[in-house]
Amino acid sequence: MRTIKPNRTKQAGDQSKEGVVFNSLPVGLLVFDEEACLVNVNNHFFKTFNMAPTDPEGQRFGKLFRCKHALGRGKACGTTPACPTCPLMENVNKVLETGESITDLQISMDVEIDGRISSQWFLVNLSRVVEARQTYVLAAFTDITEKRLAEHELSTLGVSDELTGLYTRRYLLKKLDELIHLDWPEAFPLAIAMMEIDSDKLADVMQDEGSEDDIRKSMAEILKEHTRSTDFIGRYGENEFMAVFTNTNAEVVQGIIKNMMTAFGEKTKTKIGRQGTFSTGLISVGSVAGSICDIKDYIHDTEALLQKAKLNGCNRIEEEKEAYS
């Protein structure tokens, strides 16, 4: 244990035998005393944040512990005793109180490296060490930022449409299925709108791939601007989009879609010099019994209303109120 023995007079740059071993370990180490004051940091911890161990800011261990003191720059973590919003200090105190180790704790810190603020994730293992009647907590840090980013990227595959950033058709139908079969009371009444860009009126423009993508992106932007965080919006087909409006009646949704039509025309005129339009099929759902066929029925009826809107001249809404109740 003497190879990692903390010492208030030794800093991360200590060149004693104990200090050399402490600083040669390939993980970042923080050492806290029985009052949860930071008393030592090893070289690898500083290396993680692109700092020199001799940086005066990094040596300020004292009675106050803030992340910026140990890391040089970044968001303040809190004071000692532990700030109630700081997971690191909360767990340091928990180990001191219970004597039990904590493993695989994941925490994030906002830090500034080379002038840029970024969030970094760490896997932290905390253990209680008693040395010469003194109690310490040793916190071993492993940087898992790349792993977390990779996991996040993997989890979003199949969820977001690459061009528009909206939900994919598959994910949107999954969310609608959850709403229906779980019968969330806070979601009802809900309205389902199927919208399709009137591409026939923009046939010459849609032949240009760049303009075609601009029109689709414009539609996505309008959907984002006119819906709430409790609604679900996605790209359903090449030029088709779907929106599920929760806890909203058909009259309100119809007004929202009319505003969207106006905004879409203005946006496309600015982007491509032509006023774009779209047609909509809309159904309202008061509540559901939750049969296995419900979602297919909803989609079928909404698509039929959309086709009716297209046949009746486009740039219009065909609605069936209280299609299911």
Side-chain angles (χ1 to χ4, degrees):
M1 300 301 294
R2 291 186 179 279
T3 58
I4 57 171
K5 179 181 177 181
N7 190 316
R8 286 183 183 275
T9 64
K10 296 178 181 178
Q11 303 298 337
D14 178 29
Q15 295 302 309
S16 67
K17 182 179 178 181
E18 295 173 352
V20 169
V21 175
F22 181 71
N23 285 306
S24 66
L25 295 174
V27 293
L29 296 173
L30 297 180
V31 182
F32 298 88
D33 66 12
E34 57 191 5
E35 296 178 353
C37 292
L38 182 66
V39 294
N40 211 344
V41 177
N42 75 340
N43 280 348
H44 194 86
F45 193 87
F46 286 104
K47 190 180 298 183
T48 303
F49 297 95
N50 197 29
M51 289 179 59
T54 54
D55 190 322
E57 188 73 10
Q59 301 295 342
R60 194 182 303 169
F61 298 149
K63 289 291 183 181
L64 286 181
F65 170 46
R66 295 182 181 275
C67 289
K68 66 177 182 179
H69 292 166
L71 312 183
R73 302 169 184 84
K75 183 182 291 185
C77 185
T79 60
T80 304
C83 170
T85 61
C86 176
L88 174 62
M89 298 307 293
E90 283 180 355
N91 283 280
V92 167
N93 277 281
K94 190 179 294 183
V95 172
L96 286 169
E97 292 169 7
T98 66
E100 297 180 1
S101 298
I102 295 175
T103 59
D104 298 335
L105 172 68
Q106 293 191 27
I107 66 171
S108 65
M109 292 182 178
D110 290 340
V111 298
E112 181 181 331
I113 299 177
D114 296 331
R116 296 182 61 185
I117 296 291
S118 64
S119 294
Q120 292 187 242
W121 283 90
F122 299 91
L123 190 67
V124 185
N125 293 315
L126 300 110
S127 56
R128 184 170 174 265
V129 178
V130 177
E131 182 73 24
R133 298 184 180 180
Q134 294 291 318
T135 300
Y136 303 95
V137 172
L138 183 66
F141 278 65
T142 302
D143 191 340
I144 58 169
T145 304
E146 288 187 9
K147 180 182 177 182
R148 288 283 301 216
L149 291 175
E151 289 174 348
H152 176 72
E153 184 177 351
L154 184 63
S155 69
T156 58
L157 289 176
V159 173
S160 299
D161 174 64
E162 187 175 354
L163 177 68
T164 64
L166 301 180
Y167 287 143
T168 60
R169 171 176 175 164
R170 182 177 180 180
Y171 187 75
L172 189 62
L173 293 180
K174 176 179 177 291
K175 298 305 293 184
L176 179 58
D177 188 63
E178 289 176 1
L179 284 176
I180 292 169
H181 290 98
L182 293 178
D183 196 9
W184 295 350
E186 65 272 20
F188 293 89
L190 60 80
I192 305 170
M194 190 79 72
M195 294 161 276
E196 184 177 355
I197 298 168
D198 296 323
S199 55
D200 290 347
K201 295 186 176 182
L202 297 170
D204 55 334
V205 180
M206 296 289 274
Q207 289 177 2
D208 178 73
E209 187 177 344
S211 297
E212 190 177 38
D213 284 346
D214 280 340
I215 294 169
R216 291 167 181 157
K217 288 178 183 178
S218 295
M219 185 68 185
E221 290 167 7
I222 294 301
L223 279 164
K224 292 173 185 176
E225 291 167 6
H226 289 78
T227 54
R228 306 158 300 169
S229 60
T230 53
D231 301 326
F232 300 94
I233 53 177
R235 188 178 178 190
Y236 191 78
E238 189 175 41
N239 294 316
E240 290 178 289
F241 298 81
M242 190 167 82
V244 180
F245 298 87
T246 63
N247 193 24
T248 310
N249 62 50
E251 186 178 353
V252 171
V253 172
Q254 192 172 87
I256 293 171
I257 294 174
K258 287 179 179 178
N259 290 335
M260 289 171 59
M261 287 175 161
T262 301
F264 179 67
E266 293 172 353
K267 189 176 285 285
T268 52
K269 189 171 183 179
T270 300
K271 282 192 174 184
I272 63 171
R274 293 279 296 279
Q275 189 168 333
T277 63
F278 64 87
S279 302
T280 305
L282 175 65
I283 67 170
S284 179
V285 184
S287 61
V288 294
S291 74
I292 195 167
C293 297
D294 280 340
I295 187 170
K296 293 180 181 179
D297 293 338
Y298 297 153
I299 298 302
H300 177 271
D301 288 355
T302 311
E303 287 179 329
L305 288 166
L306 172 60
Q307 292 308 311
K308 184 178 178 181
K310 303 286 282 187
L311 290 171
N312 286 338
C314 300
N315 193 29
R316 58 183 292 117
I317 304 169
E318 289 292 341
E319 178 188 2
E320 183 178 348
K321 295 183 179 178
E322 296 297 329
Y324 297 86
S325 60

